[in-house]
């Protein structure tokens, strides 16, 4: 309609949906994308969220190349905007799933780990007094992804904490057990797998059983995955937890074709 608005000088970052208050998507040309990525860490949180959401929606629609979105993710810096990091974590997980079985999978997970290590190193493993629930949710998601994607420091720490958990379950808070056990399950050897199974068989608590079952179903080793499928069909899973049986079978079928 011929209207125009001043948008600053060329090379400066630009957000046409400042603070994410508008219900619309925005697409930027390449020079503006580059300028926004260059200054992304210093943008207001609302602008980061809007541009991450917009760019990822365009990627999913096939209307924009993936590198533009990844440039934003890599440029987040050490800020801890949980909403923005949750968006990035979910997007990277979607890409990782799509890359499974393809030659570029390992290279992508190495890249994704390099992105997610930045916020995790600031968050650490343990909750701090006064943290918002969203921070703890992000911490658990990062532990899950970094562990599943083979980040050595996360896998090693998960194993150390699991060993402490075996001696005294109170060493790991119930809210933290799910993420920890799933990482342990991913990288379990035969002995660890049997420890997880023994934990599942010994509990009468539905929430605990769910955490152990998810860990067993997460196993990466094909032989142990076949063993987990046998367990799913056994009386290890009580009748009142039938939904967990279906979860195990569906997860193992999706990951291992069992």
């Amino acid at each position: 309609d011929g209207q125009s608005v001043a948008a600053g000088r060329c090379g400066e970052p630009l957000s046409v949906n400042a603070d994410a208050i508008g219900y619309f998507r925005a697409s930027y040309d390449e020079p503006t994308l580059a300028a926004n990525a260059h200054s992304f860490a210093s943008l207001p949180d609302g602008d980061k969220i809007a541009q991450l959401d917009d760019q990822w929606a365009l990627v999913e629609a096939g209307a924009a190349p993936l590198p533009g979105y990844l440039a934003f993710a890599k440029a987040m810096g050490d800020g801890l905007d949980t909403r923005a990091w949750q968006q990035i974590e979910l997007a990277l997980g979607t890409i990782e799933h799509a890359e499974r079985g393809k030659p570029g999978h390992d290279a992508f997970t190495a890249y994704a780990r390099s992105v997610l290590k930045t916020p995790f190193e600031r968050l650490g493993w343990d909750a701090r007094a006064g943290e918002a629930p969203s921070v703890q949710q992000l911490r658990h998601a990062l532990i899950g992804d970094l562990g599943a994607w083979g980040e050595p420091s996360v896998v090693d720490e998960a194993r150390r904490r699991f060993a402490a958990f075996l001696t005294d379950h109170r060493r790991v808070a119930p809210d933290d057990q799910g993420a920890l056990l799933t990482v342990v399950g991913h990288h379990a050897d035969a002995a660890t797998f049997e420890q997880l199974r023994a934990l599942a068989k010994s509990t009468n608590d539905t929430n605990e059983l769910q955490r152990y079952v998810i860990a067993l179903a997460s196993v990466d080793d094909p032989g142990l995955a076949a063993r987990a499928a046998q367990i799913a069909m056994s009386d290890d899973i009580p009748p009142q937890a039938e939904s967990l049986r279906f979860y195990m079978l569906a997860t193992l079928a999706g990951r291992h074709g069992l």
Side-chain angles (χ1 to χ4, degrees):
D1 58 9
Q3 294 184 358
S4 62
V5 62
R9 295 176 295 180
C10 293
E12 291 183 338
L14 171 67
S15 177
V16 299
N17 187 11
D19 208 28
I21 61 173
Y23 291 91
F24 58 86
R25 295 293 183 201
S27 177
Y28 301 90
D29 60 19
E30 290 189 13
T32 306
L33 279 175
N36 287 350
H38 180 73
S39 302
F40 202 69
S42 63
L43 293 180
D45 289 345
D47 289 5
K48 290 178 186 174
I49 292 166
Q51 295 194 31
L52 285 165
D53 283 346
D54 287 346
Q55 201 62 24
W56 179 242
L58 291 168
V59 169
E60 289 191 302
L66 179 59
Y69 174 82
L70 295 179
F72 285 168
K74 193 66 173 177
M76 275 287 291
D78 60 0
L80 275 181
D81 182 305
T82 56
R83 169 66 177 79
W85 278 115
Q86 286 167 346
Q87 200 277 355
I88 292 168
E89 182 267 331
L90 289 171
L92 294 178
T94 298
I95 300 169
E96 184 274 330
H97 188 273
E99 286 293 311
R100 291 179 187 177
K102 298 179 181 179
H105 180 266
D106 289 349
F108 177 77
T109 55
Y111 169 82
R113 295 197 310 265
S114 74
V115 173
L116 296 185
K117 279 180 68 176
T118 300
F120 182 65
E121 286 173 351
R122 286 202 60 192
L123 288 174
W125 279 81
D126 300 309
R128 299 174 179 85
E131 273 187 351
S134 60
V135 174
Q136 183 72 323
Q137 291 167 5
L138 176 61
R139 175 182 288 109
H140 291 161
L142 295 175
I143 290 171
D145 284 341
L146 289 168
W149 300 340
E151 178 58 36
S153 61
V154 173
V155 175
D156 290 347
E157 180 64 11
R159 286 171 171 159
R160 188 190 70 79
R161 289 175 180 245
F162 180 62
F165 174 79
L166 289 175
T167 63
D168 184 353
H169 290 191
R170 293 172 298 180
R171 299 282 295 275
V172 181
D175 285 349
D176 296 335
Q177 291 175 17
L180 170 69
L181 292 168
T182 300
V183 174
V184 171
H186 269 290
H187 303 280
D189 57 15
T192 303
F193 184 87
E194 289 303 322
Q195 289 172 327
L196 289 169
R197 183 190 181 190
L199 289 168
K201 292 182 68 174
S202 66
T203 186
N204 293 315
D205 184 282
T206 302
N207 291 326
E208 288 182 359
L209 178 61
Q210 177 174 310
R211 292 194 284 269
Y212 301 141
V213 164
I214 290 173
L216 289 168
S218 299
V219 67
D220 290 340
D221 181 87
L224 294 177
R227 182 76 184 108
Q230 294 174 346
I231 291 171
M233 297 300 294
S234 74
D235 58 8
D236 279 21
I237 310 298
Q240 65 269 26
E242 196 70 14
S243 62
L244 293 178
R245 187 190 314 278
F246 294 135
Y247 170 85
M248 285 189 75
L249 292 171
T251 300
L252 292 165
R255 298 190 67 233
H256 298 278
L258 299 175

